[in-house]
Amino acid sequence: MSITTRRKARDSVYKLVFEYLFTNKINQKLLETTYIVNLPKEDVEYTQTVYFGVIERFQDLKIYVEKYAEGFVFERIYKTDLAAILIATYEIIYMKDIPNNVAIAEAIELVKKYSTPKSGSFVNGVLSAINKDVSKG
């Protein structure tokens, strides 16, 4: 797994989760035809694990986000920010092979690319608080 292909896989899952936030439906066809093309097998597995994991654990992830996005109503958080937060929260809680600081840094990179100039600090704050809570055990 290279950093470049993992970043491409994370970008793909970001787009899928972003779409899910609007439709509340799994888009299996889009997953198979668009986002996993030209990815190595392990990055296809990563994409599928995270996409389906975020959907499966959506309510649990929502609880974390609501707890640490102080002053923000879950439904009113920019979807571009929320998609990155959900992915990184899933990685922090459920994917022990991904260092938490990497999950946070990659989420910040996604919002720098797709969201507002202030989104990076917002996402960093929420994810750092989640990470601190989860790391306490």
Side-chain angles (χ1 to χ4, degrees), residues 76-95:
R76 303 276 321 259
I77 296 172
Y78 290 142
K79 301 291 190 252
T80 50
D81 298 351
L82 187 55
I85 291 169
L86 289 169
I87 292 165
T89 302
Y90 180 82
E91 290 175 339
I92 289 167
I93 296 171
Y94 300 107
M95 298 188 75

Side-chain angles (χ1 to χ4, degrees), residues 56-65 86 89 93-94:
E56 238 176 67
R57 307 248 187 222
F58 189 83
Q59 291 305 316
D60 296 334
L61 299 171
K62 180 179 177 181
I63 291 167
Y64 275 98
V65 174
L86 289 169
T89 302
I93 296 171
Y94 300 107

Side-chain angles (χ1 to χ4, degrees), residues 1-11 39-40 43:
M1 156 194 61
S2 76
I3 292 172
T4 306
T5 60
R6 177 52 58 96
R7 188 163 279 164
K8 185 176 175 184
R10 193 173 271 111
D11 194 82
L39 287 176
D43 286 329

Side-chain angles (χ1 to χ4, degrees), residues 104-118:
I104 294 168
E106 290 295 327
I108 293 167
E109 288 302 313
L110 285 167
V111 296
K112 281 182 183 177
K113 182 176 179 180
Y114 293 110
S115 197
T116 71
K118 294 183 179 183

Side-chain angles (χ1 to χ4, degrees), residues 23-89:
T23 64
N24 292 315
K25 294 180 182 173
I26 294 172
N27 192 333
Q28 185 69 36
K29 183 175 178 104
L30 193 60
L31 173 69
E32 291 170 1
T33 60
T34 307
Y35 293 126
I36 60 176
V37 174
N38 299 321
L39 287 176
K41 183 180 180 204
E42 61 193 22
D43 286 329
V44 169
E45 291 169 3
Y46 161 83
T47 302
Q48 292 172 330
T49 297
V50 175
Y51 178 51
F52 292 117
V54 166
I55 291 168
E56 238 176 67
R57 307 248 187 222
F58 189 83
Q59 291 305 316
D60 296 334
L61 299 171
K62 180 179 177 181
I63 291 167
Y64 275 98
V65 174
E66 288 175 328
K67 183 175 179 181
Y68 294 107
E70 295 178 21
F72 290 86
V73 177
F74 183 85
E75 289 75 15
R76 303 276 321 259
I77 296 172
Y78 290 142
K79 301 291 190 252
T80 50
D81 298 351
L82 187 55
I85 291 169
L86 289 169
I87 292 165
T89 302

